[in-house]
């Protein structure tokens, strides 16, 4: 009974861990239902109460499943499947009465734990999942082993020495097959930049310290002022906010060949590991001219994945630091559209146009206006009214990058210059020892592209107001009270920040060596193996010869003549499962008497076996030996029942 209670506690803990791991797949009320069911089962185990009847469990599970089905459209098919699987496991645990009924439960746990990798790919979470898998393996061992069995460290070590090389070989060499089925779409809130940009959206995003992506450069780290990671083009303006044009969303599904004005431009090659964002838009520098097969270059140099990024994604890009060429006349006209409102901004744009008719000169004058007038860069700008751009330019004069980019693009459009707002990330933190650039959500940024001589020129008004933001980082230009917003709570503790940084480095290596081991990496490995195939063959042959010689020597030295009586050999053959847990120093007859007492239903025939065994061994009675053989043959059914009884205790 004590062993059964321990297993029930382990399974309750495993299901609680699964609930935590699958949390993002469940709505709040779904998580609450699972938590109540698991806590009830845990309470009933601790209070030694009887499990819930199977009929009642089926009724409750059916009602809950109907609730899951009704919110299928909001949750998505994948999350619905995970809910049903966890519900099946929880229902089985609630009604579990006998250990042999738990076999289904253990296997459902394995499947749910494997499904956790659909939602999580972080190294720390992977370690946690591994610990839960080990707990389930331990319960699996306890479920199928006799009560007195103990884990053997030597045997486990031997098994690991065999399994780990095989696992590593399969991971490295087994062909990367395409998926046999696609993961259904799920309704998950996206992270990072959205398709809408209004005053305040970037400010909220930069307070998020989570990773957006990491970059490893093949051709050296570019200057910081060149690290503009393009992710979104905002070309529709309604007078207050900017949106991604619907045509742009449709065009992003098509592949475009990049047009480079300068064929002698240096190519920048780099690899990006993007975090899950549930969006298809990705990140690239300037003008991408080549990419790996899992992503493609869409219109206007935008990079896109083949499907929403629901898991960490690694891809390669080649870029040139040249401006993007104009796509079409439609694109030019789209970026001249105006919305009613902001009359003061319109008047200011017309006055600039009269003084500076050329686009480049007007942009330079606008940059000087921002730098010479009392404009301020702030993470907490005041609220703006209906004419938000007028309120920013002529009243508050305080804003974040989205304010300056929005105002600049609108001024250029009023001046007859096609312009758009670009959303992405600027800069990042370079880790020289590890060799990668970490770009967090706080590096989110907005700037402007305007059309001049057939190409989209880059203009960042933030560089005129707060150049430290571009040349250094966001922290260097914020006052102390606003900087505290970036480092709230535990982030102020230096020790925890250092630990977090080290975990991020380890997670990076995990992403590169494990998650990033794709078809290309495997093909490169196969090419290296083929080049050194003779050497590898000789080494393997030598190891095989040494292993065979060692095995022969060990077998010869460990072989000892058997002095066991024929009766003992007979019992070890017929009662192997029963005698597997017998202490080596305990006599067979003594151990069988113990088994007979603990299983009284088999007492009579076991006592007969003990009597005949002792006569055959101690009196050298051949007749008793023959009778012992006959008894064991006749008691075939009883032997099977005894094995089953021992297995379930």
């Amino acid at each position: 009974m004590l062993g059964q209670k321990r297993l029930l506690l382990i399974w309750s803990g495993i299901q609680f861990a699964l609930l935590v791991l699958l949390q993002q797949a469940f709505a709040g009320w779904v998580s609450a239902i699972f938590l109540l069911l698991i806590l009830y089962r845990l309470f009933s185990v601790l209070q030694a109460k009887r499990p819930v009847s199977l009929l009642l469990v089926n009724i409750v599970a059916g009602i809950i499943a109907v609730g899951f089905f009704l919110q299928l459209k909001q949750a998505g098919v994948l999350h619905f499947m995970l809910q049903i699987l966890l519900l099946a496991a929880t229902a089985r645990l609630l009604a579990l009465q006998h250990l042999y009924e738990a076999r289904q439960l253990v296997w459902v746990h394995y499947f749910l734990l494997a499904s956790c990798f659909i939602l999580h790919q972080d190294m720390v979470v992977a370690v946690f999942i591994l610990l839960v898998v080990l707990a389930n393996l331990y319960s699996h061992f306890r479920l199928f082993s006799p009560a007195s069995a103990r884990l053997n460290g030597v045997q486990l070590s031997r098994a690991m020495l065999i399994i780990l090389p095989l696992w590593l070989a399969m991971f490295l060499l087994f062909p990367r097959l395409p998926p046999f089925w696609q993961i259904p779409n799920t309704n998950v809130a996206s992270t990072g930049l959205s398709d809408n940009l209004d005053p305040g959206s970037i400010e909220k995003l930069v307070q998020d310290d989570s990773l957006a992506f990491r970059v490893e450069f093949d051709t050296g780290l570019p200057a910081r002022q060149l690290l503009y990671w393009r992710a979104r083009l905002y070309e529709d303006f309604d007078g207050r906010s900017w949106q991604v044009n619907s045509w742009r969303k449709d065009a992003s599904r098509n592949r475009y060949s990049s047009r480079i004005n300068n064929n002698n431009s240096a190519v920048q090659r780099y690899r990006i590991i993007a975090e899950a964002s549930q969006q298809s838009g990705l990140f690239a520098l300037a003008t991408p001219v080549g990419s790996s097969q899992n992503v493609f270059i869409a219109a206007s140099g935008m990079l896109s994945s083949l499907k929403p990024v629901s898991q960490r994604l690694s891809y390669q890009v080649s870029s040139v630091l040249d401006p993007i060429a104009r796509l079409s006349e439609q694109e030019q006209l789209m970026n001249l559209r105006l919305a009613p409102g902001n009359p003061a901004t319109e008047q200011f744009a017309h006055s600039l146009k009269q003084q500076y008719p050329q686009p480049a000169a007007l942009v330079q004058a606008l940059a000087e206006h921002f730098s010479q007038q009392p404009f301020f860069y702030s993470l907490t700008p005041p609220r703006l009214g209906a004419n938000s751009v007028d309120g920013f330019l002529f009243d508050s004069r305080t804003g974040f990058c989205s304010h300056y980019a929005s105002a600049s693009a609108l001024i250029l459009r009023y001046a007859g210059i096609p312009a758009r707002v670009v959303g992405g990330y600027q800069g990042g933190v370079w880790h020289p020892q590890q060799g990668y650039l970490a770009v967090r959500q706080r590096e989110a940024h907005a700037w402007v592209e305007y059309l001049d001589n057939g190409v989209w020129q880059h203009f960042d008004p933030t560089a005129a107001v707060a150049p430290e933001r571009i040349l250094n980082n966001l922290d260097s230009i914020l006052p102390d009270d606003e900087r505290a917003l970036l480092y709230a709570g535990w982030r102020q503790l230096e020790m925890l920040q250092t630990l977090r940084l080290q975990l991020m480095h380890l997670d990076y290596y995990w992403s590169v060596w494990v998650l990033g081991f794709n078809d290309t990496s495997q093909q490169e490995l196969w090419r290296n193996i083929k080049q050194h195939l003779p050497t590898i063959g000789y080494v393997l042959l030598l190891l095989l010869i040494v292993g065979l010689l060692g095995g022969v020597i060990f077998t010869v030295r460990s072989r000892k003549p058997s002095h066991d009586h024929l009766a003992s050999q007979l019992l070890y053959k017929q009662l192997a499962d029963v005698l597997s847990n017998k202490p080596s120093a305990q006599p067979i007859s003594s151990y069988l008497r113990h088994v007979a007492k603990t299983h009284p239903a088999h007492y009579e025939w076991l006592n007969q076996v003990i009597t005949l065994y002792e006569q055959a061994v101690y009196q050298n009675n051949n007749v008793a030996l023959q009778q012992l053989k006959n008894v064991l043959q006749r008691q075939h059914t009883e032997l099977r029942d005894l094995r089953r009884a021992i297995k379930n205790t």
Side-chain angles (χ1 to χ4, degrees):
M1 189 66 185
L2 181 61
Q4 183 173 351
K5 180 179 179 180
R6 184 185 298 114
L7 285 176
L8 291 172
L9 291 175
I10 291 175
W11 290 328
S12 299
I14 290 173
Q15 292 194 4
F16 179 77
L18 285 168
L19 178 60
V20 173
L21 289 167
L22 300 173
Q23 183 63 39
Q24 69 183 76
F26 301 156
W29 67 271
V30 175
S31 299
I33 288 177
F34 279 124
L35 183 61
L36 289 175
L37 294 176
I38 296 171
L39 289 177
Y40 175 80
R41 185 49 169 152
L42 183 62
F43 174 78
S44 64
V45 172
L46 295 175
Q47 298 295 321
K49 292 186 176 182
R50 293 181 58 83
V52 184
S53 67
L54 184 59
L55 177 61
L56 180 58
V57 167
N58 288 335
I59 293 174
V60 172
I63 295 173
I64 296 174
V66 171
F68 291 166
F69 182 78
L70 293 177
Q71 57 97 45
L72 172 62
K73 187 175 181 180
Q74 292 76 24
V77 177
L78 173 62
H79 292 175
F80 174 73
M81 293 167 58
L82 295 176
Q83 291 168 3
I84 292 298
L85 275 174
L86 186 56
L87 178 61
T90 306
R92 168 56 72 184
L93 184 61
L94 285 171
L96 191 63
Q97 297 186 23
H98 304 288
L99 290 181
Y100 63 84
E101 297 174 344
R103 296 173 182 174
Q104 299 172 349
L105 178 65
V106 171
W107 288 110
V108 173
H109 284 170
Y110 285 131
F111 196 87
L112 279 166
L113 287 167
S115 300
C116 291
F117 287 105
I118 299 176
L119 304 177
H120 302 282
Q121 290 190 307
D122 297 330
M123 186 195 67
V124 175
V125 179
V127 172
F128 178 70
I129 295 175
L130 177 61
L131 292 176
V132 182
V133 169
L134 292 177
N136 201 53
L137 281 170
Y138 177 76
S139 70
H140 201 162
F141 168 75
R142 283 297 173 203
L143 183 62
F144 288 94
S145 64
S148 57
R150 295 291 182 269
L151 288 173
N152 190 313
V154 176
Q155 291 181 351
L156 282 176
S157 300
R158 291 175 180 173
M160 294 295 289
L161 289 175
I162 297 174
I163 292 173
L164 286 179
L166 291 175
W167 168 81
L168 183 61
M170 291 186 66
F171 175 78
L172 294 175
L173 304 177
F174 196 80
R176 289 293 192 272
L177 300 176
F180 296 105
W181 53 280
Q182 296 294 327
I183 297 175
N185 291 331
T186 58
N187 296 326
V188 182
S190 61
T191 59
L193 294 165
S194 66
D195 290 341
N196 185 75
L197 182 71
D198 56 23
S201 58
I202 296 288
E203 294 93 303
K204 296 177 183 177
L205 187 58
V206 298
Q207 297 181 40
D208 183 2
D209 196 39
S210 61
L211 277 170
F213 56 95
R214 286 172 283 196
V215 192
E216 184 181 85
F217 294 93
D218 295 340
T219 51
L221 177 67
R224 185 178 177 87
Q225 60 267 28
L226 299 177
L227 295 177
Y228 282 86
W229 305 97
R230 302 171 80 246
R232 293 284 188 281
L233 292 179
Y234 301 103
E235 297 167 297
D236 287 349
F237 184 62
D238 60 7
R240 181 178 179 84
S241 62
W242 295 80
Q243 296 86 29
V244 176
N245 186 270
S246 57
W247 169 82
R248 182 72 65 183
K249 295 178 183 178
D250 295 335
S252 65
R253 301 174 185 172
N254 302 321
R255 298 172 185 261
Y256 284 76
S257 59
S258 299
R259 286 174 283 178
I260 308 172
N261 294 327
N262 184 4
N263 294 327
N264 297 322
S265 298
V267 177
Q268 188 75 42
R269 295 183 178 86
Y270 49 96
R271 176 170 67 169
I272 289 182
I273 300 175
E275 299 297 311
S277 63
Q278 311 304 327
Q279 302 185 60
S280 57
L282 293 171
F283 323 100
L285 288 174
T287 303
V289 294
S291 65
S292 51
Q293 295 181 354
N294 55 340
V295 301
F296 65 92
I297 302 171
S300 299
M302 304 308 295
L303 208 64
S304 182
S305 64
L306 301 175
K307 57 184 179 180
V309 183
S310 59
Q311 296 179 332
R312 190 174 289 176
L313 177 67
S314 175
Y315 60 94
Q316 290 80 32
V317 190
S318 299
S319 294
V320 292
L321 301 181
D322 287 337
I324 298 289
R326 191 193 76 161
L327 185 65
S328 62
E329 185 177 356
Q330 177 188 2
E331 182 185 52
Q332 179 175 337
L333 295 175
M334 180 173 60
N335 287 282
L336 283 171
R337 295 174 184 169
L338 295 166
N342 300 295
T345 303
E346 181 179 6
Q347 184 178 358
F348 176 65
H350 289 163
S351 65
L352 282 177
K353 180 66 173 178
Q354 291 177 357
Q355 300 178 59
Y356 307 99
Q358 297 302 318
L362 190 148
V363 168
Q364 181 62 31
L366 183 58
E368 292 176 357
H369 176 76
F370 284 133
S371 63
Q372 295 172 3
Q373 297 296 319
F375 282 91
F376 303 96
Y377 194 74
S378 174
L379 189 59
T380 56
R383 291 182 176 273
L384 300 173
N387 294 316
S388 58
V389 178
D390 282 358
F392 163 67
L393 283 176
F394 305 106
D395 294 328
S396 71
R397 296 196 170 199
T398 301
F400 205 59
C401 60
S402 56
H403 295 76
Y404 290 97
S406 175
S408 299
L410 184 59
I411 291 171
L412 290 171
R413 286 192 178 186
Y414 274 131
I417 302 172
R420 61 195 182 193
V421 176
V422 184
Y425 298 83
Q426 198 284 324
V429 178
W430 176 249
H431 299 280
Q433 293 183 346
Q434 290 74 29
Y436 71 90
L437 182 80
V439 182
R440 299 187 178 276
Q441 297 294 349
R442 68 169 51 180
E443 269 84 42
H445 193 53
W447 59 95
V448 176
E449 288 180 349
Y450 67 96
L451 193 62
D452 186 18
N453 294 323
V455 295
W456 291 97
Q457 300 290 349
H458 173 95
F459 171 50
D460 187 359
T462 300
V465 180
E468 297 88 351
R469 164 64 181 90
I470 308 304
L471 299 176
N472 193 0
N473 54 48
L474 180 62
D475 301 8
S476 61
I477 62 170
L478 294 178
D480 293 339
D481 56 339
E482 294 187 8
R483 194 181 300 116
L485 297 175
L486 303 179
Y487 295 98
W490 63 269
R491 294 189 181 93
Q492 297 178 355
L493 300 177
E494 183 178 354
M495 183 180 68
L496 292 181
Q497 284 284 51
T498 302
L499 177 61
R500 181 175 181 235
L501 184 62
Q502 296 304 319
L503 289 176
M504 185 183 74
H505 294 332
L506 290 174
D507 186 68
Y508 172 73
Y509 295 131
W510 163 267
S511 300
V512 172
W513 295 338
V514 180
L515 302 181
F517 189 77
N518 52 22
D519 295 341
T520 304
S521 304
Q522 192 178 60
Q523 291 173 7
E524 181 66 24
L525 177 63
W526 275 112
R527 283 194 291 268
N528 292 333
I529 290 176
K530 289 180 180 178
Q531 291 177 0
H532 302 88
L533 195 59
T535 304
I536 295 174
Y538 292 139
V539 172
L540 290 177
L541 180 60
L542 179 61
L543 291 176
L544 178 61
I545 294 173
V546 172
L548 290 174
L549 289 176
V552 171
I553 294 173
F554 177 79
T555 303
V556 171
R557 290 187 175 182
S558 61
R559 182 177 297 171
K560 297 180 180 179
S562 175
H563 299 289
D564 291 339
H565 194 278
L566 291 177
S568 301
Q569 298 178 19
L570 179 63
L571 288 184
Y572 273 114
K573 179 179 179 181
Q574 298 293 332
L575 302 178
D577 295 337
V578 179
L579 297 174
S580 59
N581 294 316
K582 182 186 75 67
S584 57
Q586 185 178 11
I588 294 178
S589 55
S590 175
Y591 181 76
L592 289 178
R593 286 192 180 93
H594 170 71
V595 174
K597 290 179 181 179
T598 55
H599 298 84
H602 303 277
Y603 180 84
E604 183 177 349
W605 73 270
L606 279 176
N607 190 50
Q608 183 181 5
V609 168
I610 294 169
T611 302
L612 293 173
Y613 168 75
E614 291 180 340
Q615 291 177 2
V617 174
Y618 301 115
Q619 299 178 13
N620 200 21
N621 191 333
N622 293 330
V623 176
L625 178 61
Q626 185 60 42
Q627 292 176 351
L628 179 62
K629 292 181 181 179
N630 296 335
V631 169
L632 292 174
Q633 292 176 356
R634 290 197 304 269
Q635 303 299 333
H636 177 73
T637 303
E638 286 74 7
L639 274 172
R640 183 190 61 194
D641 294 341
L642 177 60
R643 294 190 188 102
R644 184 178 301 170
I646 292 175
K647 183 179 297 184
N648 292 325
T649 56

